[in-house]
Amino acid sequence: MVVTTATVDLGSAEATRALGAALAGVLRAGDLVVLTGDLGAGKTTFTQGLGAALGVRGHVSSPTFIVAREHAPAVGSAGPGLVHVDAYRLGDLGELDALDLDSSLEDSVTVVEWGRGLVEALSDDRLEVELVRPRGGDLDLDDPEGGVRHATLRGVGDRWASVDLGALVAGLGPAET
């Protein structure tokens, strides 16, 4: 199995959105993105940047209580749609299967927050994005949107073998591949 990785430090919520936007340039219909990170790490913020750059309709917000949101491409947009899933409340594969994600997977970019250990069976190829944000004494309570987030991108499968994730994150912050 092919695995490629890159890491980058993101100095703000806006930089986290910029990472999502940068990835939009290489994502295509059928791609699965698995987001991991604690509460407040920036998973939805990342997806907002991705959705804006893909040119999808509607405001991208956390699908926590509805579990999944589908965003069609905006009128005139040539890009794929976006399916945004929050798997936090899903208890098992049966609940995930009830969402019928594999029926929309080929037509959209599918982003699953809290998906690690649950959605890998949907596709042999996936992009895993882990976002880590400081906690406790390292967090500036006066600037909840600020603070450095550490992002690790891991492309799994043949789809990601030719994508230079290091080049993609270059310029977003101090990166290493």
Side-chain angles (χ1 to χ4, degrees):
M1 176 181 327
V2 176
V3 177
T4 60
T5 62
T7 61
V8 62
D9 287 334
L10 305 166
S12 65
E14 198 50 48
T16 305
R17 283 185 194 90
L19 173 61
L23 283 170
V26 298
L27 290 172
R28 59 187 184 212
D31 282 340
L32 173 64
V33 180
V34 182
L35 295 179
T36 303
D38 291 336
L39 288 171
K43 297 178 297 295
T44 299
T45 302
F46 166 89
T47 308
Q48 289 170 341
L50 174 63
L54 286 175
V56 299
R57 283 189 261 174
H59 175 70
V60 174
S61 60
S62 178
T64 300
F65 297 104
I66 62 166
V67 183
R69 285 184 203 272
E70 196 167 335
H71 298 274
V75 175
S77 173
L82 172 67
V83 175
H84 184 197
V85 178
D86 186 326
Y88 185 76
R89 289 181 165 61
L90 299 181
D92 58 32
L93 288 174
E95 290 181 29
L96 176 69
D97 198 40
L99 293 176
D100 203 23
L101 292 178
D102 41 359
S103 69
S104 62
L105 193 62
E106 290 185 23
D107 301 324
S108 302
V109 171
T110 301
V111 175
V112 183
E113 297 185 24
W114 303 97
R116 181 185 285 166
L118 194 59
V119 300
E120 290 84 354
L122 289 174
S123 178
D124 291 334
D125 300 305
R126 65 188 172 277
L127 179 64
E128 299 171 351
V129 179
E130 181 173 16
L131 297 166
V132 178
R133 185 171 182 202
R135 292 277 173 220
D138 294 332
L139 186 61
D140 182 355
L141 297 177
D142 293 327
D143 183 17
E145 287 287 302
V148 173
R149 291 158 175 88
H150 182 76
T152 301
L153 285 67
R154 183 174 182 256
V156 178
D158 294 338
R159 157 74 176 99
W160 296 98
S162 63
V163 177
D164 186 349
L165 295 174
L168 194 125
V169 301
L172 295 176
E176 51 187 81
T177 56

